[in-house]
Amino acid sequence: MSRDGCAMTALKENLERLEESIAAACRKAGRARSEIELMAVSKMFPAETIAEAAALGLTFFGENRVQEFAAKALHAAGLWSSQVAPRTRLRFHLIGHLQSNKAAKAAELFDGVDTLDSVRLAERLSEAAGNAGKRLPVLIEVKLSPEATKTGVAPEGEEAARLLERLPDLLDLEVRGLMTIAPWGAPEEVTRACFRNLRICRNRWAAAHPNLKFDVLSMGMSGDFALAIAEGATRIRVGTALFGAREPRAEQD
């Protein structure tokens, strides 16, 4: 078997195992598998890997860096489209921290930005989306972990309050919900509390701001998605369990 064939077989096996694990987590939580959207996190993997995933039926991908994805997309559109069933398109969302000076490029490249964390960024994304003739779906990133490397708005902070008040006026953004990242290597009860707090935050904000939509709870990754499903996740972001470990790479953005 060729190297490409081996890679495809490994990815297929990983996907099958992942789907079994998701189904088991749903059964345990008393939820339907259809309630959980799977995002394949393709950051730091080449365009060819995305094509292999698309050939297996995956159509929703998460990328961390504007520059990295721009390089992939420049040469890969034909490659990706050849792997997808007719009338189906691949969707790519930005799930890494976005600097406001890259908002225009992000709005142009991505089908959604899941890390909105400031009024300034919201305004720049809205302007860029309007210039691109699109309405851009966004998730508000909420910081529920004390780690300095984590980004997002504090749930009780002034920036969150200002953002929630400003968003209804930004008509070229479509607020869809919230996203968070649990602390690395934390005990199960700490991880579950993080996910539970995002759900509580969503419920509170949805009641206070009925003109915004909060349908999506994006939480849970390869190591903790079962806990996220138990706590109400509607979208999980899985990379390592699908594609394997990534090679370390210098920051590009």
Side-chain angles (χ1 to χ4, degrees):
M1 183 181 293
S2 69
R3 181 176 178 179
D4 288 347
C6 289
M8 175 66 85
T9 299
L11 180 55
K12 183 174 185 293
E13 292 173 351
N14 289 347
L15 179 57
E16 289 171 351
R17 281 194 294 268
L18 174 60
E19 282 293 346
E20 290 172 0
S21 297
I22 295 172
C26 288
R27 286 193 299 271
K28 186 175 181 180
R31 302 182 63 190
R33 170 65 182 88
S34 59
E35 297 177 35
I36 312 300
E37 187 176 34
L38 172 60
M39 172 188 281
V41 178
S42 50
K43 65 178 185 180
M44 298 174 68
F45 287 100
E48 290 76 12
T49 299
I50 295 173
E52 292 165 4
L56 294 173
L58 294 169
T59 59
F60 188 27
F61 297 88
E63 290 280 335
N64 258 37
R65 301 178 176 93
V66 174
Q67 184 177 331
E68 178 188 343
F69 181 65
K72 292 181 189 180
L74 183 63
H75 303 293
L79 174 66
W80 294 337
S81 62
S82 68
Q83 302 296 326
V84 181
R87 295 183 298 280
T88 300
R89 64 183 293 269
L90 303 185
R91 292 184 295 142
F92 294 90
H93 280 211
L94 180 67
I95 59 172
H97 178 65
L98 178 62
Q99 299 171 354
S100 58
N101 63 355
K102 291 184 170 64
K105 190 64 175 178
E108 174 191 337
L109 282 173
F110 289 99
D111 301 297
V113 172
D114 295 358
T115 51
L116 181 62
D117 62 359
S118 72
V119 173
R120 182 183 184 190
L121 179 58
E123 291 173 344
R124 292 201 173 188
L125 280 173
S126 182
E127 180 182 6
N131 291 339
K134 66 198 291 187
R135 192 160 187 249
L136 185 69
V138 295
L139 301 183
I140 300 171
E141 184 176 11
V142 183
K143 183 176 180 180
L144 296 168
S145 166
E147 293 165 291
T149 55
K150 296 290 194 298
T151 56
V153 296
E156 306 294 341
E158 181 180 338
E159 189 66 26
R162 292 179 59 238
L163 183 59
L164 291 165
E165 290 297 327
R166 184 75 176 98
L167 280 168
D169 298 326
L170 301 178
L171 301 181
D172 293 309
L173 297 185
E174 179 186 1
V175 181
R176 297 291 313 282
L178 308 181
M179 185 271 264
T180 200
I181 302 173
W184 301 114
E188 178 177 324
E189 60 270 20
V190 174
T191 300
R192 287 193 69 138
C194 176
F195 296 147
R196 188 180 309 120
N197 287 338
L198 189 72
R199 173 166 46 85
I200 292 169
C201 184
R202 185 274 307 273
N203 293 344
R204 187 173 69 249
W205 287 356
H209 301 274
N211 49 351
L212 297 176
K213 292 174 62 176
F214 293 97
D215 298 336
V216 176
L217 279 181
S218 176
M219 55 190 194
M221 300 187 292
S222 291
D224 57 18
F225 66 79
L227 300 178
I229 289 172
E231 293 296 340
T234 66
R235 176 183 298 168
I236 58 175
R237 309 180 302 273
V238 179
T240 302
L242 269 175
F243 302 120
R246 301 174 181 87
E247 293 293 330
R249 182 179 303 180
E251 291 291 328
Q252 295 183 9
D253 288 352

